Amino acid sequence: MFEYVAAFLVGGTICFIGQMLMDIGKLSPTHTLSTLVVAGALLDGYHLYDRLIDFAGAGATVPITSFGHSLVHGAMSEGGRYGFFGVGMGVFEVTSVGISSTILFSFLVALFFKPKG
C-alpha cells in the first residue's frame, strides 16, 4: 500500500511543479517540458533520481523527468565503457524504444485523424 501512496505523491508533486511553472512562472508548455527534462537529467547526474525511483517506482518513472534521467543515465553508463563516443551511443541506446514508439504512434494517429490548420 505504501508503494502506491509514494508513487502518487511523487508523481503528483512533479506534475504540480510543472503546473506551477506554467501558472505562476508563466512558462510555455515547451519551456516547462524542457525544464522538467533538464531537472531529471541534473538529478540523475548527482545520482539522486535512482533513489527517487527506488522510493516512488512509477511515480518517478512515468513523468517527463524520467526522460532526462534516461538520457543522462545511458550517456554515463556507455561513456564509462566506450569513452567519448559511448556518450552518444548511450543516449540513443536507452531512449530508442521511447523515441521509436513516439514516432510510430504519431504516424498512426496522423493517418487516422485530420490535423487542424
Side-chain angles (χ1 to χ4, degrees), residues 1-14 52 55-60 63:
M1 180 69 176
F2 174 75
E3 293 88 10
Y4 297 119
V5 173
F8 176 77
L9 290 176
V10 171
T13 302
I14 292 170
L52 189 63
F55 174 73

Side-chain angles (χ1 to χ4, degrees), residues 12-104:
T13 302
I14 292 170
C15 294
F16 175 77
I17 291 169
Q19 191 65 46
M20 289 300 104
L21 287 172
M22 288 191 292
D23 291 346
I24 295 173
K26 302 296 182 199
L27 294 180
S28 68
T30 306
H31 288 104
T32 302
L33 173 88
S34 300
T35 302
L36 291 174
V37 169
V38 169
L42 287 174
L43 287 172
D44 189 60
Y46 291 109
H47 305 289
L48 298 174
Y49 208 83
D50 286 328
R51 292 181 192 169
L52 189 63
I53 291 173
D54 290 340
F55 174 73
T61 58
V62 172
I64 194 65
T65 51
S66 179
F67 185 69
H69 156 72
S70 297
L71 289 172
V72 172
H73 199 74
M76 288 173 55
S77 66
E78 294 298 315
R81 195 174 334 162
Y82 297 111
F84 179 73
F85 292 110
V87 171
M89 291 175 9
V91 167
F92 292 114
E93 182 178 318
V94 174
T95 60
S96 63
V97 173
I99 293 171
S100 299
S101 62
T102 301
I103 292 170
L104 174 67

